[in-house]
Amino acid sequence: MKVLVAVKRVIDYNVKIRVKADNSGVETANVKFSMNPFDEIAVEEAVRLKEAGKATEIVVVSMGAASSQETIRTALAMGADRGILVQTDDELQPLAVAKLLKAVVDKEQPGLVILGKQAIDDDSNQTGQMLAALLGWAQGTFASKVTVNAGSLDVTREVDGGLETITLKLPAVVTSDLRLNEPRYASLPNIMKAKKKPIDTLAPADLGVDTAPRLVTIKVEEPPKRKAGIKVPDIAALVDKLKNEAKVI
């Protein structure tokens, strides 16, 4: 079974986000980028499936500027076999990404697609669901455990009430949650080997997809700073403030 994994290059989660002076977006100049953490979990799960003999090939796909090759190389160093870069400098929104992924899936014909449940830059949590709808495939979102069977897939999902286990007919789309696994660190020999693994470069036009944005960002602002707390002398004063100032009771 071929497994396709989508990865995204995002601002590193350790970096403090700064809003541009003109409020048009966040500052990306001279900022460290890395693979989206949820996508890293997706790559790790694909590698584990291959090590268990459940997958025969892992193809990693990323979309964005030429610098996204670095993110693909990271996935290749973790154990993926080859990469595909859909290169564009345009802003890619979830629907456009889902359409591009569908075109890649139609071309590659994988038996399973694994994505991170969301990207930490826009937190949309939409691409996996949109992709499954476009493909007409079964989907298992927020996966905390994945078990591959003959022709099917058992996915344990994290839901509000606890855990839910569902069985999906392959081919399927799975989005990874934090507790699915702990990604490995790429070893130096594997990093060197990754440099020789192939990466195909495509353009959105090659896939016949219109990536024009459907949404417009009007303004980006930092959240208001939290006000300092106060101490109250007794419970009666606390209740009074909750009732008359905070108006929560």
Side-chain angles (χ1 to χ4, degrees):
M1 178 178 68
K2 182 190 292 187
V3 179
L4 185 79
V5 184
V7 298
K8 185 178 183 181
R9 182 175 183 263
V10 299
I11 296 176
D12 190 87
Y13 62 89
N14 287 314
V15 173
K16 179 176 173 57
I17 302 298
R18 293 179 291 115
V19 176
K20 291 181 179 178
D22 60 0
N23 294 106
S24 62
V26 298
E27 188 60 63
T28 57
N30 302 315
V31 172
K32 181 184 177 184
F33 282 76
S34 62
M35 187 190 301
N36 178 49
F38 291 103
D39 297 343
E40 199 171 8
I41 293 169
V43 174
E44 174 65 24
E45 190 64 21
V47 173
R48 292 187 184 191
L49 289 175
K50 186 178 179 183
E51 290 173 344
K54 302 292 186 180
T56 55
E57 184 183 23
I58 302 170
V59 182
V60 177
V61 58
S62 187
M63 294 155 195
S67 52
S68 295
Q69 284 199 28
E70 300 172 11
T71 306
I72 295 176
R73 292 291 179 197
T74 300
L76 295 176
M78 290 175 66
D81 298 299
R82 58 187 176 91
I84 299 173
L85 172 62
V86 181
Q87 187 172 330
T88 176
D89 292 323
D90 296 337
E91 176 193 357
L92 292 177
Q93 295 175 352
L95 181 57
V97 174
K99 288 181 176 179
L100 289 169
L101 281 174
K102 179 186 181 298
V104 173
V105 169
D106 290 341
K107 183 172 179 288
E108 292 290 332
Q109 294 294 307
L112 175 64
V113 179
I114 310 179
L115 310 86
K117 70 171 185 177
Q118 65 196 76
I120 63 172
D121 53 359
D122 58 19
D123 272 338
S124 292
N125 183 16
Q126 296 176 340
T127 304
Q129 293 89 326
M130 288 178 172
L131 175 61
L134 291 171
L135 289 169
W137 288 9
Q139 60 176 303
T141 55
F142 316 122
S144 62
K145 184 180 179 181
V146 174
T147 304
V148 177
N149 307 309
S152 66
L153 196 70
D154 291 337
V155 177
T156 301
R157 304 179 61 240
E158 297 195 357
V159 296
D160 291 341
L163 298 177
E164 173 188 68
T165 301
I166 59 175
T167 299
L168 310 177
K169 183 179 178 181
L170 292 173
V173 176
V174 172
T175 66
S176 61
D177 212 334
L178 278 175
R179 279 159 287 277
L180 181 57
N181 59 54
E182 185 175 342
R184 69 192 67 191
Y185 289 102
S187 64
L188 183 58
N190 285 340
I191 291 174
M192 300 306 293
K193 290 177 184 176
K195 294 181 179 180
K196 297 180 180 179
K197 292 182 179 180
I199 297 179
D200 296 330
T201 302
L202 303 171
D206 298 332
L207 299 171
V209 176
D210 178 14
T211 59
R214 305 293 183 93
L215 307 174
V216 177
T217 301
I218 298 173
K219 190 176 184 182
V220 177
E221 294 179 306
E222 289 189 19
K225 292 184 178 180
R226 190 173 180 179
K227 295 180 180 178
I230 61 171
K231 291 184 178 181
V232 293
D234 51 40
I235 293 177
L238 174 61
V239 172
D240 179 68
K241 287 186 176 296
L242 290 174
K243 183 176 182 180
N244 299 313
E245 292 186 18
K247 299 187 184 299
V248 294
I249 59 173

